[in-house]
Amino acid sequence: MGRRIGNNRTPLTTVAVMALVLWLVSCSTTSNLPEGEILYTGMKKTVVVDNDGTDGAADALDEVNAALKQKPNGSIFGSSRMTWPWPPFRLFLYNKFINADKKLGKWIFDRFATPPVLLSSVNPEMRSAAATNLLHDYGYFNGRVTHEIVPDRKNDRKSKVGYRVQMGHSYRLDTVIYAGFRPEADSLIRRTMRWSKLKPGDQFSVLKLDEERQRISTIFRSRGYFYFVPSYITFLGDTLQSPGNIALKVVPKAGLNDMVKRKWKVGGLTVNLRGYNNEEPTDSITYEDMVIHYEGKLRVRPSILYSKIKDKRGDTYSQFTQQKTQEALGRLGIFRYTELQYIPEDSTGNTLNRVINASYDYPLNGEFEMNVKSKSNNYLGPGASFSVSRKNVFGGGERLSLTLNGAYEWQTNVREKGQAVNSYEFGIDLSLEFPRVIFPRMLHRDFDYPASTKYHLYADQTNRASFFKLLTLGGGAEYKFRPNALHQHSITPFKLDFNLLQKTTARFDSITGANPALYLSLKDQFIPSMSYTYTYDNSSLRKRGQIWWQTSVTSSGNLLSCFYAMAGKGFGEENKNLFGNPFSQFAKLNTELRYTYRISRRQSIAARVMGGIAYAYGNASVVPYSEQFYVGGANSIRAFTIRSIGPGRYHADESNQYSYIDQTGDIKLEANVEWRFNIFGDLHGAVFLDAGNVWLVRADAARPGAEFTLKDFYDNIALGTGIGLRYDLDILVLRLDMGIGLHAPYDTGRSGYYNITSFRKGLGFHFAIGYPF
């Protein structure tokens, strides 16, 4: 009887599902449209005529498509053309519950229903006109955008819209002349012509005209002309001198008053500090030439506040300096808002008094984060982090933070009964951060860009299932500063970590017994280190090709070894201790270069090259495990899971599920290149190629073929390609990559360069947030 019931369930379930599908399909999406309205169901493919293929044409078409774009109900990833093959569910709810009189129906309607996108609200006529104006803005003066309504064959209350873009000939700048400016203003323009946005031969663009207006206005305002604004620049164009070209003249607006032509100087300074709840000031104090009005208690040191004011009494007004002052006040992190005003001292003079209005932000800030991690070694589990910060601890923008974090993981793939032992990790971090560099020779220097000093102490307790229990204690100091927009320096003059291996399992002991180097990298030891990191980033220049380069150097144990050397023990000798425990001694260099080239607004090429080397010597023969390199995973060689390749030709027994712990190295080389492009809407795609591996500096009998040699370098490089999807949610990017293995650096039993045993086994799938580089 039980079997008979089971057999009857399948057809009943199938019938129910089919009935639900037929019901949804049969539901009308136009039943509640207003009288005379038509449901918009998306765009047809836009027809483009006379596209000259230039960069200007690509930019113009991007703007035109943005103006024409309108998502219909049921859009796929924000596309204007692609919709799901079934009726839009949220539109179905709209039609189903629009007249609901019960609470449940009203709640469903308010929370989940989406109204129909009407053709009248799309307004194709207005969009066509706007798109035509955009073509003109990019120099296609003869261009035109037209549209047609394409009714649905089965339902005349549904329609798509088709657009036709006739681009025509693009106009270019023939000559560019600046005329009519006063001598001093004309001299400023001449001296900065190399940065002009208007060059003879360039394609005409209204955007470039606006950029040149802004550039000239910024130059004038940074030289004292406070009241000059971009709209005071006008353009005169002549298209008759040379057919298809424009003779352009840049002139000042006629009839400018004397205040605009006058250069201004900086006068008095008043600061109004409101309370946490925007309470009005009740008291005042004078510091230097600054008058501070405050509420209740003065919560910021006057010297700190005064140091953030970049212009002083008697200076010529500068927009650049004003901006730097606002940024410096913002970096203090103690105000909810700041407003900087310049007010004429009188109607006849040329002095601007400064008034700063600010309101304190609440001093306490708490953050709580939760996440779920899935690791390549079959562990899955939640993690959480809670931090509380006290702002402006000493009245100078200092921040005292306490962070508690923890994670719990359980094994999802147990090969042998009784093997699964859950892992956990928890820790505490106490830090004090200053918004400036606390160092004798740099103490009073105020940078124009972010600078900070951070001291912190931490403790982490880690229990790795079936392996070990490790306690890590540490602390240190870190300085960060940027002398300009392109360069950043990070210096860690002192950092001390202590690893205490509290407990090991028989399984871990068997692994370290076969690989003594692994045990040496995890044993009880101090890691006293110092490091320096340099970062170059030209993204602020908004160039087509953007470069990001970071190099770091770390040294451990050398300062202590110098003290030992002064005491008569050789610098390179072993068996030196700190508080009865050995300390690590190594040097490490790591560098990474990224280059992104924007082909157009819809596609780009991104590349990365990175490498590193770590060498243990003197008091240690192995670099600490936390400082070793590895490859593979979502942000590395995506055809291979994390720590599944290397070092060198070494490959652990595949039956050993803990083999990944051995697959780290002292040397790392990796290269990646990725073509990124828009598919439709907010959905983007990528095609990538990844290569790299890790090696050992010294030969290891437990891992044959792991050391670096030039002889086998080519064959030791793991190679993979693949494709990916990215869904841009504005606030974050969801990424799904499928890596395809092309070459494994170890012996797979298959000859030839393509030595992946099967296509299926050579696939790697990764879901991540953000771009890999």
Side-chain angles (χ1 to χ4, degrees):
M1 182 178 295
R3 184 176 299 175
R4 190 181 304 118
I5 292 174
N7 289 339
N8 289 337
R9 281 181 179 176
T10 301
L12 287 175
T13 303
T14 304
V15 169
V17 171
M18 292 179 63
L20 178 62
V21 172
L22 290 173
W23 179 59
L24 285 173
V25 171
S26 63
C27 290
S28 173
T29 55
T30 58
S31 58
N32 287 291
L33 291 179
E35 185 66 29
E37 293 287 359
I38 296 175
L39 180 67
Y40 168 75
T41 57
M43 290 172 53
K44 303 287 286 183
K45 184 177 181 180
T46 301
V47 178
V48 180
V49 182
D50 294 337
N51 184 353
D52 57 19
T54 62
D55 291 341
D59 290 341
L61 286 175
D62 282 341
E63 292 287 348
V64 166
N65 289 328
L68 300 179
K69 179 181 178 181
Q70 174 62 52
K71 296 185 293 185
N73 296 105
S75 168
I76 299 178
F77 298 119
S79 173
S80 297
R81 295 179 52 208
M82 307 290 291
T83 58
W84 299 107
W86 49 81
F89 182 67
R90 299 185 71 178
L91 179 58
F92 159 73
L93 294 177
Y94 176 89
N95 286 285
K96 181 69 176 176
F97 296 101
I98 187 174
N99 297 315
D101 53 2
K102 295 183 178 180
K103 288 185 177 180
L104 178 61
K106 290 182 178 180
W107 179 80
I108 292 175
F109 181 82
D110 293 337
R111 294 294 300 271
F112 303 108
T114 298
V117 180
L118 304 177
L119 185 64
S120 61
S121 66
V122 174
N123 200 340
E125 296 87 354
M126 180 192 70
R127 292 179 183 273
S128 297
T132 298
N133 290 334
L134 286 171
L135 285 179
H136 298 171
D137 288 347
Y138 278 89
Y140 295 92
F141 296 141
N142 299 319
R144 186 185 178 196
V145 179
T146 57
H147 71 278
E148 64 171 336
I149 308 299
V150 184
D152 188 277
R153 295 180 180 179
K154 298 180 180 179
N155 187 341
D156 59 3
R157 301 202 69 186
K158 297 181 180 180
S159 291
K160 290 183 179 292
V161 180
Y163 294 96
R164 187 175 188 271
V165 181
Q166 178 78 43
M167 300 195 71
H169 171 72
S170 63
Y171 279 70
R172 295 189 173 273
L173 298 179
D174 184 27
T175 57
V176 180
I177 298 174
Y178 296 80
F181 294 93
R182 300 177 69 184
E184 184 175 358
D186 184 74
S187 177
L188 286 174
I189 294 175
R190 302 297 173 189
R191 293 203 306 267
T192 59
M193 281 298 293
R194 72 179 75 176
W195 294 292
S196 173
K197 305 299 181 180
L198 306 174
K199 306 289 185 182
D202 286 353
Q203 185 171 322
F204 175 85
S205 170
V206 170
L207 273 68
K208 292 295 182 182
L209 300 187
D210 291 339
E211 289 178 8
E212 183 66 2
R213 272 197 183 106
Q214 186 64 53
R215 186 188 75 86
I216 294 175
S217 174
T218 300
I219 292 172
F220 289 171
R221 284 177 56 82
S222 294
R223 298 298 192 279
Y225 297 96
F226 175 77
Y227 285 100
F228 198 95
V229 294
S231 60
Y232 292 161
I233 298 292
T234 61
F235 301 95
L236 304 175
D238 186 349
T239 59
L240 301 178
Q241 293 185 17
S242 176
N245 295 300
I246 300 176
L248 190 68
K249 181 179 288 188
V250 185
V251 298
K253 183 179 179 180
L256 296 179
N257 62 41
D258 182 62
M259 294 185 72
V260 176
K261 301 175 182 179
R262 192 186 310 167
K263 293 184 69 172
W264 295 82
K265 290 188 177 296
V266 173
L269 173 61
T270 301
V271 180
N272 300 314
L273 300 179
R274 295 174 178 266
Y276 294 131
N277 296 306
N278 214 33
E279 298 93 341
E280 293 286 346
T282 57
D283 207 343
S284 65
I285 188 175
T286 300
Y287 179 85
E288 301 288 348
D289 60 344
M290 173 177 65
V291 180
I292 304 175
H293 299 274
Y294 59 93
E295 175 273 335
K297 176 184 177 182
L298 184 58
R299 301 178 179 91
V300 58
R301 299 202 302 274
S303 60
I304 292 293
L305 195 61
Y306 192 73
S307 69
K308 304 304 176 184
I309 312 302
K310 303 303 180 181
D311 50 13
K312 306 301 178 184
R313 182 188 291 271
D315 290 351
T316 300
Y317 166 80
S318 170
Q319 177 181 302
F320 178 78
T321 305
Q322 177 185 352
Q323 181 180 342
K324 290 302 179 184
T325 297
Q326 291 175 321
E327 292 174 353
L329 291 172
R331 286 197 299 269
L332 275 176
I334 64 177
F335 299 119
R336 186 180 300 114
Y337 77 89
T338 55
E339 178 189 40
L340 180 55
Q341 298 177 338
Y342 288 81
I343 303 172
E345 191 171 67
D346 52 59
S347 59
T348 59
N350 66 338
T351 300
L352 297 169
N353 288 332
R354 297 157 292 167
V355 178
I356 297 177
N357 297 309
S359 177
Y360 287 110
D361 197 4
Y362 292 110
L364 291 177
N365 181 57
E367 294 182 1
F368 180 73
E369 295 182 3
M370 289 195 67
N371 58 68
V372 177
K373 294 183 179 180
S374 177
K375 298 184 178 180
S376 61
N377 54 343
N378 299 320
Y379 279 90
L380 174 72
S385 173
F386 173 73
S387 64
V388 60
S389 300
R390 175 65 165 86
K391 303 177 184 176
N392 200 30
V393 179
F394 305 121
E398 304 83 3
R399 179 187 292 261
L400 181 66
S401 301
L402 179 67
T403 301
L404 303 175
N405 56 74
Y408 189 80
E409 302 171 348
W410 58 84
Q411 198 168 354
T412 59
N413 183 15
V414 182
R415 299 186 180 184
E416 297 180 18
K417 186 176 180 180
Q419 280 188 357
V421 179
N422 297 341
S423 298
Y424 62 83
E425 180 178 351
F426 60 86
I428 183 171
D429 187 291
L430 179 66
S431 66
L432 177 62
E433 185 171 359
F434 298 80
R436 54 194 174 276
V437 176
I438 309 298
F439 195 76
R441 297 193 61 180
M442 305 175 71
L443 186 61
H444 299 291
R445 179 177 176 183
D446 194 53
F447 293 92
D448 291 335
Y449 295 88
S452 65
T453 301
K454 182 177 181 181
Y455 305 104
H456 79 113
L457 298 171
Y458 76 93
D460 280 324
Q461 177 71 74
T462 303
N463 183 76
R464 284 288 174 256
S466 300
F467 287 126
F468 56 82
K469 188 174 182 181
L470 178 69
L471 175 65
T472 303
L473 305 172
E478 181 183 33
Y479 299 100
K480 288 185 178 180
F481 59 93
R482 297 177 60 184
N484 54 52
L486 304 180
H487 309 278
Q488 176 174 301
H489 304 276
S490 176
I491 302 172
T492 302
F494 177 76
K495 181 182 179 185
L496 180 63
D497 297 325
F498 176 64
N499 290 342
L500 177 61
L501 194 58
Q502 298 170 296
K503 179 182 177 182
T504 63
T505 65
R507 184 177 301 278
F508 180 74
D509 292 339
S510 66
I511 295 174
T512 56
N515 184 1
L518 177 61
Y519 172 75
L520 292 175
S521 69
L522 284 166
K523 70 174 184 177
D524 296 354
Q525 60 182 313
F526 282 97
I527 308 176
S529 63
M530 58 180 64
S531 63
Y532 166 73
T533 300
Y534 167 76
T535 304
Y536 173 85
D537 184 356
N538 73 346
S539 58
S540 61
L541 301 181
R542 298 181 181 179
K543 289 186 175 182
R544 196 162 209 174
Q546 295 185 353
I547 298 174
W548 183 91
W549 177 45
Q550 186 175 88
T551 296
S552 62
V553 180
T554 303
S555 172
S556 173
N558 293 321
L559 188 59
L560 282 176
S561 291
C562 287
F563 289 127
Y564 269 95
M566 287 187 291
K569 198 162 189 176
F571 182 82
E573 291 185 21
E574 300 180 4
N575 302 319
K576 293 177 291 223
N577 295 323
L578 177 64
F579 304 121
N581 287 280
F583 59 85
S584 177
Q585 191 173 358
F586 68 88
K588 181 179 179 181
L589 172 66
N590 195 27
T591 187
E592 179 178 351
L593 175 65
R594 302 176 187 176
Y595 179 74
T596 303
Y597 181 78
R598 182 177 61 85
I599 301 173
S600 67
R601 293 190 181 184
R602 297 174 61 88
Q603 58 179 329
S604 61
I605 293 289
R608 175 178 67 178
V609 178
M610 60 191 306
I613 181 170
Y615 183 71
Y617 54 91
N619 207 42
S621 59
V622 177
V623 177
Y625 191 78
S626 60
E627 298 291 340
Q628 295 180 12
F629 301 105
Y630 60 87
V631 291
N635 298 321
S636 182
I637 306 174
R638 284 160 280 186
F640 302 89
T641 56
I642 192 170
R643 291 189 177 93
S644 63
I645 50 177
R649 300 191 309 275
Y650 170 75
H651 186 58
D653 183 2
E654 292 187 357
S655 62
N656 181 6
Q657 59 179 318
Y658 306 110
S659 62
Y660 69 92
I661 200 170
D662 282 343
Q663 300 193 254
T664 58
D666 308 316
I667 300 173
K668 176 179 179 178
L669 290 175
E670 184 178 333
N672 317 82
V673 62
E674 185 170 283
W675 174 39
R676 300 168 180 171
F677 53 89
N678 177 259
I679 300 176
F680 59 80
D682 299 321
L683 185 66
H684 302 261
V687 177
F688 54 83
L689 184 70
D690 305 320
N693 203 347
V694 294
W695 294 264
L696 298 181
V697 172
R698 300 178 177 92
D700 184 355
R703 291 180 283 181
E707 70 276 12
F708 181 84
T709 61
L710 291 176
K711 177 182 177 183
D712 302 312
F713 176 76
Y714 175 72
D715 290 330
N716 283 354
I717 297 293
L719 183 67
T721 186
I723 57 176
L725 295 174
R726 291 92 169 88
Y727 185 40
D728 191 347
L729 297 174
D730 290 334
I731 59 174
L732 56 85
V733 175
L734 301 179
R735 172 166 57 94
L736 177 63
D737 286 333
M738 182 183 73
I740 304 170
L742 299 178
H743 176 73
Y746 49 83
D747 183 13
T748 64
R750 181 169 179 171
S751 61
Y753 185 77
Y754 179 78
N755 61 352
I756 307 299
T757 54
S758 69
F759 181 79
R760 183 181 63 83
K761 290 185 178 180
L763 296 179
F765 295 90
H766 305 279
F767 178 74
I769 295 176
Y771 289 100
F773 54 89

